[in-house]
Amino acid sequence: MAQQPDLGGGADRRILERIGEMVAAERELRALLAEGRIDPETERQRLHDIEQQLDQCWDLLRQRRARMEAGEDPNLASVRSVEEVERYES
């Protein structure tokens, strides 16, 4: 029997879990800076990396939801490059 495509639930939940993990990582970085355990430049660079990954996750989630609303397969959505996602946000 053919496996049914994941029409949102599982994949979307995994994306949201990943977003939650990155938000927690942001908080941890800020705490480390406040405690003096990392320097401001390290925090800035790591936060920048996390923010880019978050933007990609949110973009993927939006793509999936738009496909579902249009009656298309959300699994055809794909992670776009940071450059492409950043262009859409400005």
Side-chain angles (χ1 to χ4, degrees), residues 65-79:
R65 289 177 175 171
R67 286 183 170 281
M68 283 180 52
E69 289 175 14
E72 298 175 6
D73 184 352
N75 295 317
L76 296 178
S78 61
V79 176

Side-chain angles (χ1 to χ4, degrees), residues 1-60:
M1 183 153 83
Q3 184 178 0
Q4 295 295 317
D6 179 359
L7 296 178
D12 287 0
R13 192 170 28 261
R14 286 187 298 277
I15 295 167
L16 288 168
E17 287 170 1
R18 180 67 182 130
I19 288 169
E21 291 167 1
M22 287 185 280
V23 169
E26 283 182 325
R27 287 189 196 118
E28 177 67 19
L29 282 171
R30 289 187 174 103
L32 290 172
L33 178 65
E35 295 167 4
R37 295 171 55 195
I38 61 172
D39 61 273
E41 180 58 27
T42 299
E43 185 229 19
R44 187 199 63 74
Q45 183 57 49
R46 288 184 187 169
L47 280 176
H48 179 73
D49 293 343
I50 290 170
E51 288 166 357
Q52 287 181 330
Q53 292 174 38
L54 274 169
D55 289 345
Q56 287 178 301
C57 285
W58 282 117
D59 177 67
L60 179 59

Side-chain angles (χ1 to χ4, degrees), residues 51-60 62 81-90:
E51 288 166 357
Q52 287 181 330
Q53 292 174 38
L54 274 169
D55 289 345
Q56 287 178 301
C57 285
W58 282 117
D59 177 67
L60 179 59
R62 283 190 294 272
S81 71
V82 169
E83 294 78 19
E84 188 172 4
V85 171
E86 294 297 320
R87 236 186 349 245
Y88 285 120
E89 291 185 349
S90 50

